[in-house]
Amino acid sequence: TISLLLDGDAGQLNKEQDDFLKKGYEINERMIKLVSDLLNAARIEEGRFGYDFKDMDLEDFLGSLIGNYREVAKGKSLNLIFNKKAKNLPRIYADPEKLSLALNNLLDNALKYTPAGGSVTLQLGSQGNYALISISDTGVGIPSTEQQRVFSKFFRASNVIRLETEGTGLGLFIVKNIIRRHGGEISFSSKEGAGTVFSVTLPLKKE
């Protein structure tokens, strides 16, 4: 309803009305994200986070995924790159919705915590019988003393809290569980003030 009002479907808004509704819309979106993360974390812990695996083309999937971030990157003056080191990979067996949730989370973080003028790179490669996806940024990085807690529930780096007060701290906990359920692994390297690289492996063999 708020979105329709902001789009002018119920008539032209004055500036004050527009500002109020935009604030309400943003708060509403944050609440939806919070509730969604809490529910997903609870379902994972209770073994009720259902999956629907199917054969899918990973290169096309990633191309579509990063395409959704072009405007966001442009708005933040960031260079968004899709580097295909490996082409013609076999189709993988995955849940597109859950895999999208995991990789969107990593891309969201990379774009959110990279200052204007920086870059975010999504790279697709291979490593033995695994597809290797990396998401690297030139952002704020993660303090070395806090890195062992990155995949813990409710973890948020101290430097990120100072920059961006929003966030549940559940995203990377959910990401790790999704990747491991796919038979893959996730790791990262990071240096505070110099950026972060998250690396995800996904099996190329269905079994």
Side-chain angles (χ1 to χ4, degrees):
T1 301
I2 297 176
S3 182
L4 289 171
L5 289 171
L6 286 169
D7 288 341
D9 287 28
Q12 190 65 37
L13 302 171
N14 64 42
K15 186 179 185 306
E16 187 178 18
Q17 291 169 332
D18 190 68
D19 288 343
F20 275 127
L21 283 170
K22 279 179 179 173
K23 287 175 185 174
Y25 182 79
E26 289 168 5
I27 291 168
N28 191 51
E29 289 296 300
R30 288 201 295 267
M31 289 301 294
I32 290 169
K33 177 72 164 59
L34 170 63
V35 172
S36 179
D37 282 352
L38 288 167
L39 287 172
N40 284 337
R43 288 176 183 133
I44 285 169
E45 291 185 318
E46 293 173 10
R48 295 190 296 108
F49 200 51
Y51 287 82
D52 181 17
F53 287 87
K54 57 189 70 174
D55 289 320
M56 55 179 275
D57 186 302
L58 186 57
E59 186 179 333
D60 287 349
F61 173 78
L62 294 178
S64 175
L65 205 67
I66 200 166
N68 296 329
Y69 288 92
R70 295 292 180 194
E71 286 302 312
V72 177
K74 186 178 178 182
K76 286 198 67 180
S77 300
L78 296 173
N79 188 22
L80 185 61
I81 303 160
F82 183 22
N83 183 13
K84 292 175 271 190
K85 283 185 69 177
K87 295 183 179 181
N88 302 316
L89 289 174
R91 294 171 71 83
I92 66 166
Y93 193 58
D95 180 330
E97 183 182 335
K98 297 298 192 297
L99 193 56
S100 177
L101 175 62
L103 297 178
N104 277 336
N105 197 296
L106 296 176
L107 283 167
D108 282 340
N109 286 346
L111 289 163
K112 188 185 294 183
Y113 304 126
T114 299
S119 63
V120 173
T121 302
L122 172 64
Q123 181 170 287
L124 173 61
S126 61
Q127 190 176 75
N129 292 322
Y130 290 83
L132 177 61
I133 302 165
S134 67
I135 295 172
S136 56
D137 63 58
T138 58
V140 298
I142 305 165
S144 57
T145 55
E146 302 173 14
Q147 291 185 8
Q148 72 276 12
R149 297 190 290 117
V150 160
F151 296 109
S152 304
K153 279 199 305 180
F154 303 112
F155 168 77
R156 300 193 72 224
S158 55
N159 57 342
V160 159
I161 292 172
R162 290 194 297 271
L163 283 175
E164 176 78 41
T165 57
E166 308 303 330
T168 63
L170 289 168
L172 291 174
F173 168 80
I174 293 168
V175 170
K176 183 173 184 177
N177 278 275
I178 290 172
I179 298 304
R180 297 196 72 176
R181 180 64 182 82
H182 279 76
E185 292 292 340
I186 181 169
S187 59
F188 74 95
S189 61
S190 183
K191 184 176 180 181
E192 189 172 9
T196 302
V197 181
F198 276 93
S199 300
V200 171
T201 60
L202 293 170
L204 293 171
K205 293 188 174 181
K206 187 172 181 178
E207 61 271 18

